[in-house]
Amino acid sequence: MPRLERFYVYGSVHNIFTLTKYTGQDPELVNYTGYDTGYGMQIPRTYMLGVKMDF
């Protein structure tokens, strides 16, 4: 059985929250989706968790 030499756990979160008083449509939404939806669609929050093992 191979011996485990290194074990990594990592994670990240994108678009956790936005601090602003701006009430209009998100200007990044058009760039994110490629088109103007015309209504209050949200950019998704993304969670990532990973494990790397070196033997």
Side-chain angles (χ1 to χ4, degrees):
M1 183 170 189
R3 182 174 168 237
L4 181 65
E5 294 192 16
R6 292 188 183 126
F7 183 80
Y8 300 95
V9 177
Y10 57 90
S12 69
V13 181
H14 295 273
N15 298 320
I16 297 173
F17 59 88
T18 302
L19 298 175
T20 182
K21 292 182 180 181
Y22 179 70
T23 59
Q25 183 176 355
D26 187 345
E28 292 184 10
L29 183 61
V30 174
N31 294 333
Y32 180 77
T33 61
Y35 61 93
D36 186 1
T37 60
Y39 57 92
M41 193 171 147
Q42 296 291 320
I43 293 177
R45 183 174 302 140
T46 307
Y47 299 91
M48 182 179 71
L49 181 64
V51 175
K52 179 182 176 186
M53 295 181 278
D54 291 338
F55 293 93

